[in-house]
PDB file of all heavy atoms in Angstrom:
ATOM      1  N   ASP A 367     -89.413 134.098 -52.799  1.00  0.00           N
ATOM      2  CA  ASP A 367     -89.564 135.547 -52.633  1.00  0.00           C
ATOM      3  C   ASP A 367     -88.225 136.228 -52.403  1.00  0.00           C
ATOM      4  O   ASP A 367     -88.118 137.435 -52.516  1.00  0.00           O
ATOM      5  CB  ASP A 367     -90.435 135.862 -51.410  1.00  0.00           C
ATOM      6  CG  ASP A 367     -91.791 135.244 -51.504  1.00  0.00           C
ATOM      7  OD1 ASP A 367     -92.298 135.165 -52.627  1.00  0.00           O
ATOM      8  OD2 ASP A 367     -92.337 134.836 -50.462  1.00  0.00           O
ATOM      9  N   ASP A 368     -87.237 135.457 -52.025  1.00  0.00           N
ATOM     10  CA  ASP A 368     -85.935 136.008 -51.670  1.00  0.00           C
ATOM     11  C   ASP A 368     -85.336 136.771 -52.856  1.00  0.00           C
ATOM     12  O   ASP A 368     -85.120 136.205 -53.917  1.00  0.00           O
ATOM     13  CB  ASP A 368     -85.029 134.823 -51.277  1.00  0.00           C
ATOM     14  CG  ASP A 368     -83.681 135.290 -50.783  1.00  0.00           C
ATOM     15  OD1 ASP A 368     -83.473 136.509 -50.705  1.00  0.00           O
ATOM     16  OD2 ASP A 368     -82.842 134.420 -50.468  1.00  0.00           O
ATOM     17  N   PRO A 369     -85.054 138.091 -52.704  1.00  0.00           N
ATOM     18  CA  PRO A 369     -84.504 138.862 -53.828  1.00  0.00           C
ATOM     19  C   PRO A 369     -83.128 138.367 -54.275  1.00  0.00           C
ATOM     20  O   PRO A 369     -82.697 138.676 -55.378  1.00  0.00           O
ATOM     21  CB  PRO A 369     -84.425 140.288 -53.286  1.00  0.00           C
ATOM     22  CG  PRO A 369     -84.557 140.180 -51.817  1.00  0.00           C
ATOM     23  CD  PRO A 369     -85.290 138.925 -51.507  1.00  0.00           C
ATOM     24  N   ALA A 370     -82.459 137.586 -53.440  1.00  0.00           N
ATOM     25  CA  ALA A 370     -81.121 137.108 -53.789  1.00  0.00           C
ATOM     26  C   ALA A 370     -81.125 136.169 -54.981  1.00  0.00           C
ATOM     27  O   ALA A 370     -80.068 135.815 -55.504  1.00  0.00           O
ATOM     28  CB  ALA A 370     -80.490 136.406 -52.599  1.00  0.00           C
ATOM     29  N   ILE A 371     -82.306 135.771 -55.430  1.00  0.00           N
ATOM     30  CA  ILE A 371     -82.376 134.861 -56.574  1.00  0.00           C
ATOM     31  C   ILE A 371     -82.180 135.619 -57.897  1.00  0.00           C
ATOM     32  O   ILE A 371     -81.901 135.018 -58.927  1.00  0.00           O
ATOM     33  CB  ILE A 371     -83.718 134.089 -56.562  1.00  0.00           C
ATOM     34  CG1 ILE A 371     -83.643 132.852 -57.455  1.00  0.00           C
ATOM     35  CG2 ILE A 371     -84.864 134.971 -56.948  1.00  0.00           C
ATOM     36  CD1 ILE A 371     -84.829 131.942 -57.331  1.00  0.00           C
ATOM     37  N   ASP A 372     -82.299 136.965 -57.854  1.00  0.00           N
ATOM     38  CA  ASP A 372     -82.204 137.790 -59.069  1.00  0.00           C
ATOM     39  C   ASP A 372     -81.002 137.459 -59.946  1.00  0.00           C
ATOM     40  O   ASP A 372     -81.123 137.306 -61.162  1.00  0.00           O
ATOM     41  CB  ASP A 372     -82.086 139.278 -58.695  1.00  0.00           C
ATOM     42  CG  ASP A 372     -83.412 139.865 -58.286  1.00  0.00           C
ATOM     43  OD1 ASP A 372     -84.405 139.121 -58.288  1.00  0.00           O
ATOM     44  OD2 ASP A 372     -83.450 141.061 -57.962  1.00  0.00           O
ATOM     45  N   LEU A 373     -79.843 137.368 -59.312  1.00  0.00           N
ATOM     46  CA  LEU A 373     -78.619 137.193 -60.090  1.00  0.00           C
ATOM     47  C   LEU A 373     -78.624 135.849 -60.824  1.00  0.00           C
ATOM     48  O   LEU A 373     -78.167 135.758 -61.962  1.00  0.00           O
ATOM     49  CB  LEU A 373     -77.397 137.314 -59.181  1.00  0.00           C
ATOM     50  CG  LEU A 373     -76.088 137.603 -59.894  1.00  0.00           C
ATOM     51  CD1 LEU A 373     -76.148 138.925 -60.630  1.00  0.00           C
ATOM     52  CD2 LEU A 373     -74.919 137.624 -58.918  1.00  0.00           C
ATOM     53  N   ALA A 374     -79.174 134.832 -60.172  1.00  0.00           N
ATOM     54  CA  ALA A 374     -79.253 133.523 -60.835  1.00  0.00           C
ATOM     55  C   ALA A 374     -80.235 133.584 -61.998  1.00  0.00           C
ATOM     56  O   ALA A 374     -80.013 132.956 -63.049  1.00  0.00           O
ATOM     57  CB  ALA A 374     -79.672 132.462 -59.831  1.00  0.00           C
ATOM     58  N   VAL A 375     -81.313 134.344 -61.847  1.00  0.00           N
ATOM     59  CA  VAL A 375     -82.291 134.487 -62.933  1.00  0.00           C
ATOM     60  C   VAL A 375     -81.617 135.153 -64.131  1.00  0.00           C
ATOM     61  O   VAL A 375     -81.729 134.682 -65.274  1.00  0.00           O
ATOM     62  CB  VAL A 375     -83.517 135.313 -62.442  1.00  0.00           C
ATOM     63  CG1 VAL A 375     -84.417 135.683 -63.610  1.00  0.00           C
ATOM     64  CG2 VAL A 375     -84.290 134.543 -61.389  1.00  0.00           C
ATOM     65  N   VAL A 376     -80.885 136.227 -63.847  1.00  0.00           N
ATOM     66  CA  VAL A 376     -80.178 136.933 -64.922  1.00  0.00           C
ATOM     67  C   VAL A 376     -79.165 135.996 -65.584  1.00  0.00           C
ATOM     68  O   VAL A 376     -79.076 135.920 -66.819  1.00  0.00           O
ATOM     69  CB  VAL A 376     -79.478 138.186 -64.345  1.00  0.00           C
ATOM     70  CG1 VAL A 376     -78.500 138.762 -65.336  1.00  0.00           C
ATOM     71  CG2 VAL A 376     -80.517 139.226 -63.962  1.00  0.00           C
ATOM     72  N   ALA A 377     -78.434 135.244 -64.791  1.00  0.00           N
ATOM     73  CA  ALA A 377     -77.420 134.337 -65.347  1.00  0.00           C
ATOM     74  C   ALA A 377     -78.071 133.255 -66.203  1.00  0.00           C
ATOM     75  O   ALA A 377     -77.562 132.914 -67.278  1.00  0.00           O
ATOM     76  CB  ALA A 377     -76.623 133.703 -64.208  1.00  0.00           C
ATOM     77  N   ALA A 378     -79.217 132.729 -65.754  1.00  0.00           N
ATOM     78  CA  ALA A 378     -79.906 131.691 -66.523  1.00  0.00           C
ATOM     79  C   ALA A 378     -80.383 132.243 -67.858  1.00  0.00           C
ATOM     80  O   ALA A 378     -80.273 131.586 -68.903  1.00  0.00           O
ATOM     81  CB  ALA A 378     -81.071 131.134 -65.721  1.00  0.00           C
ATOM     82  N   ILE A 379     -80.910 133.483 -67.832  1.00  0.00           N
ATOM     83  CA  ILE A 379     -81.402 134.099 -69.073  1.00  0.00           C
ATOM     84  C   ILE A 379     -80.233 134.322 -70.036  1.00  0.00           C
ATOM     85  O   ILE A 379     -80.322 134.010 -71.236  1.00  0.00           O
ATOM     86  CB  ILE A 379     -82.131 135.425 -68.761  1.00  0.00           C
ATOM     87  CG1 ILE A 379     -83.415 135.133 -67.984  1.00  0.00           C
ATOM     88  CG2 ILE A 379     -82.444 136.192 -70.036  1.00  0.00           C
ATOM     89  CD1 ILE A 379     -84.091 136.351 -67.420  1.00  0.00           C
ATOM     90  N   LEU A 380     -79.138 134.854 -69.505  1.00  0.00           N
ATOM     91  CA  LEU A 380     -77.957 135.089 -70.352  1.00  0.00           C
ATOM     92  C   LEU A 380     -77.467 133.781 -70.962  1.00  0.00           C
ATOM     93  O   LEU A 380     -77.165 133.707 -72.149  1.00  0.00           O
ATOM     94  CB  LEU A 380     -76.827 135.691 -69.505  1.00  0.00           C
ATOM     95  CG  LEU A 380     -76.947 137.164 -69.163  1.00  0.00           C
ATOM     96  CD1 LEU A 380     -75.771 137.579 -68.304  1.00  0.00           C
ATOM     97  CD2 LEU A 380     -76.990 137.982 -70.440  1.00  0.00           C
ATOM     98  N   SER A 381     -77.431 132.755 -70.126  1.00  0.00           N
ATOM     99  CA  SER A 381     -76.922 131.472 -70.585  1.00  0.00           C
ATOM    100  C   SER A 381     -77.787 130.897 -71.696  1.00  0.00           C
ATOM    101  O   SER A 381     -77.285 130.390 -72.705  1.00  0.00           O
ATOM    102  CB  SER A 381     -76.851 130.526 -69.395  1.00  0.00           C
ATOM    103  OG  SER A 381     -76.875 129.199 -69.810  1.00  0.00           O
ATOM    104  N   SER A 382     -79.110 131.027 -71.550  1.00  0.00           N
ATOM    105  CA  SER A 382     -79.992 130.499 -72.590  1.00  0.00           C
ATOM    106  C   SER A 382     -79.917 131.351 -73.848  1.00  0.00           C
ATOM    107  O   SER A 382     -79.906 130.842 -74.964  1.00  0.00           O
ATOM    108  CB  SER A 382     -81.422 130.449 -72.057  1.00  0.00           C
ATOM    109  OG  SER A 382     -82.282 130.042 -73.080  1.00  0.00           O
ATOM    110  N   ASN A 383     -79.832 132.661 -73.663  1.00  0.00           N
ATOM    111  CA  ASN A 383     -79.801 133.570 -74.798  1.00  0.00           C
ATOM    112  C   ASN A 383     -78.559 133.342 -75.646  1.00  0.00           C
ATOM    113  O   ASN A 383     -78.617 133.318 -76.870  1.00  0.00           O
ATOM    114  CB  ASN A 383     -79.853 135.013 -74.284  1.00  0.00           C
ATOM    115  CG  ASN A 383     -80.062 136.009 -75.401  1.00  0.00           C
ATOM    116  OD1 ASN A 383     -80.927 135.806 -76.240  1.00  0.00           O
ATOM    117  ND2 ASN A 383     -79.263 137.055 -75.423  1.00  0.00           N
ATOM    118  N   GLU A 384     -77.438 133.136 -74.989  1.00  0.00           N
ATOM    119  CA  GLU A 384     -76.178 132.938 -75.718  1.00  0.00           C
ATOM    120  C   GLU A 384     -75.950 131.473 -76.067  1.00  0.00           C
ATOM    121  O   GLU A 384     -75.000 131.145 -76.748  1.00  0.00           O
ATOM    122  CB  GLU A 384     -74.999 133.419 -74.852  1.00  0.00           C
ATOM    123  CG  GLU A 384     -75.093 134.869 -74.424  1.00  0.00           C
ATOM    124  CD  GLU A 384     -74.990 135.814 -75.607  1.00  0.00           C
ATOM    125  OE1 GLU A 384     -74.025 135.697 -76.370  1.00  0.00           O
ATOM    126  OE2 GLU A 384     -75.911 136.642 -75.774  1.00  0.00           O
ATOM    127  N   ASP A 385     -76.786 130.615 -75.495  1.00  0.00           N
ATOM    128  CA  ASP A 385     -76.663 129.172 -75.663  1.00  0.00           C
ATOM    129  C   ASP A 385     -75.290 128.654 -75.219  1.00  0.00           C
ATOM    130  O   ASP A 385     -74.681 127.818 -75.872  1.00  0.00           O
ATOM    131  CB  ASP A 385     -76.965 128.758 -77.105  1.00  0.00           C
ATOM    132  CG  ASP A 385     -77.416 127.300 -77.165  1.00  0.00           C
ATOM    133  OD1 ASP A 385     -77.770 126.768 -76.085  1.00  0.00           O
ATOM    134  OD2 ASP A 385     -77.399 126.710 -78.250  1.00  0.00           O
ATOM    135  N   VAL A 386     -74.834 129.187 -74.120  1.00  0.00           N
ATOM    136  CA  VAL A 386     -73.622 128.622 -73.511  1.00  0.00           C
ATOM    137  C   VAL A 386     -73.974 128.145 -72.111  1.00  0.00           C
ATOM    138  O   VAL A 386     -74.657 128.847 -71.370  1.00  0.00           O
ATOM    139  CB  VAL A 386     -72.455 129.636 -73.415  1.00  0.00           C
ATOM    140  CG1 VAL A 386     -71.750 129.794 -74.721  1.00  0.00           C
ATOM    141  CG2 VAL A 386     -72.923 130.963 -72.868  1.00  0.00           C
ATOM    142  N   ALA A 387     -73.529 126.959 -71.772  1.00  0.00           N
ATOM    143  CA  ALA A 387     -73.846 126.423 -70.449  1.00  0.00           C
ATOM    144  C   ALA A 387     -72.925 127.055 -69.412  1.00  0.00           C
ATOM    145  O   ALA A 387     -71.756 127.330 -69.681  1.00  0.00           O
ATOM    146  CB  ALA A 387     -73.655 124.922 -70.455  1.00  0.00           C
ATOM    147  N   LEU A 388     -73.485 127.322 -68.245  1.00  0.00           N
ATOM    148  CA  LEU A 388     -72.651 127.808 -67.139  1.00  0.00           C
ATOM    149  C   LEU A 388     -71.983 126.596 -66.506  1.00  0.00           C
ATOM    150  O   LEU A 388     -72.570 125.516 -66.485  1.00  0.00           O
ATOM    151  CB  LEU A 388     -73.517 128.506 -66.091  1.00  0.00           C
ATOM    152  CG  LEU A 388     -74.342 129.687 -66.572  1.00  0.00           C
ATOM    153  CD1 LEU A 388     -75.215 130.195 -65.433  1.00  0.00           C
ATOM    154  CD2 LEU A 388     -73.432 130.788 -67.058  1.00  0.00           C
TER     155      LEU A 388
END
Side-chain angles (χ1 to χ4, degrees):
D367 302 326
D368 185 2
I371 198 171
D372 283 0
L373 199 61
V375 170
V376 167
I379 293 170
L380 283 179
S381 157
S382 176
N383 190 47
E384 302 294 307
D385 204 16
V386 281
L388 302 176

